[in-house]
């Protein structure tokens, strides 16, 4: 049990050390065998984890890794949950009146009586667009952590197009799309942040390998 736990803990420093220190990660894995023979695998693994954590704070590549995870886990994933929640579960945060997508039609005026039926029939399409934007956020977070900048650009462009389409449809249907427009602006800011992170990555990986977009 201790050996399995030590091996699991030792994978964390390997993931944190970055591209330039994978030799160190391999050396630690080899030294684990010696630590097992000496009866101290957990102490050795925890020591490696602490050393890697210090390296994250002091090294430029370490700060890059921390920033990448902060953007992915602290921004992209919550935005994905918000978009998908509003589309599938009626969360009210993107729409006026706290009634979710169903209650987003502007009250009053001739357009309400003429277009309400059209709007109600368009709700599945609007919900689908929101789900696609949410899934786009999830995929962008994934390729960000993989450092696949070409795929991040493609998925970001697709998500931004879906957001623009959602805002356009809501405008045509006289729906209050201010919150949806704000989400589009937030998405654009997210993509700008990813561009900065990608440029930062280029400082210590001059020739990054871009995988084919999935």
């Amino acid at each position: 049990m201790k050996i399995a736990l030590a091996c699991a803990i030792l994978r964390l420093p390997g993931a944190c050390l970055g591209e330039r220190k994978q030799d160190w990660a391999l050396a630690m894995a080899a030294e684990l065998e010696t630590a097992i023979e000496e009866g101290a695998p957990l102490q050795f693994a925890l020591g490696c984890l602490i050393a890697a954590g210090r390296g994250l704070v002091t090294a430029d590549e370490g700060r890059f890794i921390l920033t990448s995870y902060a953007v992915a886990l602290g921004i992209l994933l919550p935005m994905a949950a918000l978009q998908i929640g509003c589309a599938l579960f009626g969360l009210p945060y993107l729409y006026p009146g706290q009634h979710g997508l169903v209650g987003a039609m502007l009250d009053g005026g001739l357009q309400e009586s003429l277009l309400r039926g059209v709007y109600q029939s368009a709700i599945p399409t609007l919900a689908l667009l929101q789900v696609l934007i949410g899934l786009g956020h999830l995929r962008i977070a994934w390729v960000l952590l993989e450092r696949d900048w070409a795929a991040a650009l493609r998925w970001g462009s697709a998500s931004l197009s879906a957001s623009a389409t959602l805002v356009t449809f809501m405008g045509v249907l006289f729906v209050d799309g201010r919150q949806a427009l704000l989400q589009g602006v937030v998405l654009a800011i997210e993509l700008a942040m990813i561009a900065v992170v990608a440029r930062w990555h280029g400082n210590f990986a001059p020739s990054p390998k871009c995988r084919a977009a999935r």
Side-chain angles (χ1 to χ4, degrees):
M1 181 65 180
K2 287 184 178 180
I3 296 176
L5 181 58
C7 291
I9 293 174
L10 202 59
R11 292 192 183 97
L12 295 176
C16 296
L17 289 173
E19 298 173 357
R20 288 189 172 183
K21 294 186 178 180
Q22 289 306 304
D23 290 342
W24 186 23
L26 294 174
M28 287 191 303
E31 292 175 10
L32 178 61
E33 298 297 330
T34 303
I36 292 173
E37 294 176 359
E38 295 175 353
L42 280 178
Q43 293 89 328
F44 174 77
L46 290 173
C48 293
L49 182 60
I50 293 172
R54 291 173 179 171
L56 283 176
V57 177
T58 59
D60 187 52
E61 188 173 1
R63 290 191 292 271
F64 160 79
I65 293 172
L66 290 175
T67 302
S68 298
Y69 276 91
V71 172
L73 302 180
I75 299 177
L76 293 173
L77 291 189
M79 288 299 299
L82 177 63
Q83 293 284 353
I84 295 174
C86 287
L88 299 183
F89 306 111
L91 298 182
Y93 307 114
L94 295 184
Y95 302 103
Q98 301 296 301
H99 298 299
L101 185 60
V102 177
M105 188 73 183
L106 291 177
D107 294 328
L110 180 62
Q111 71 273 7
E112 180 185 2
S113 59
L114 294 177
L115 295 178
R116 178 165 291 277
V118 177
Y119 171 70
Q120 295 295 334
S121 63
I123 286 178
T125 301
L126 298 177
L128 177 60
L129 284 171
Q130 275 205 304
V131 170
L132 292 176
I133 296 170
L135 294 177
H137 276 80
L138 291 176
R139 187 58 182 163
I140 294 169
W142 183 275
V143 297
L144 168 63
L145 297 181
E146 288 189 331
R147 303 170 195 178
D148 188 348
W149 309 120
L153 175 62
R154 281 188 279 272
W155 280 93
S157 299
S159 299
L160 197 58
S161 298
S163 181
T165 303
L166 175 64
V167 172
T168 301
F169 279 2
M170 293 179 77
V172 169
L173 295 171
F174 294 94
V175 177
D176 188 343
R178 289 174 295 177
Q179 292 297 328
L181 179 60
L182 177 60
Q183 296 304 311
V185 173
V186 170
L187 176 58
I189 295 173
E190 292 168 351
L191 297 180
M193 293 173 61
I194 292 173
V196 172
V197 173
R199 189 175 298 112
W200 188 5
H201 180 246
N203 291 336
F204 48 83
S207 300
K209 182 174 75 174
C210 294
R211 306 171 185 87
R214 293 165 177 78

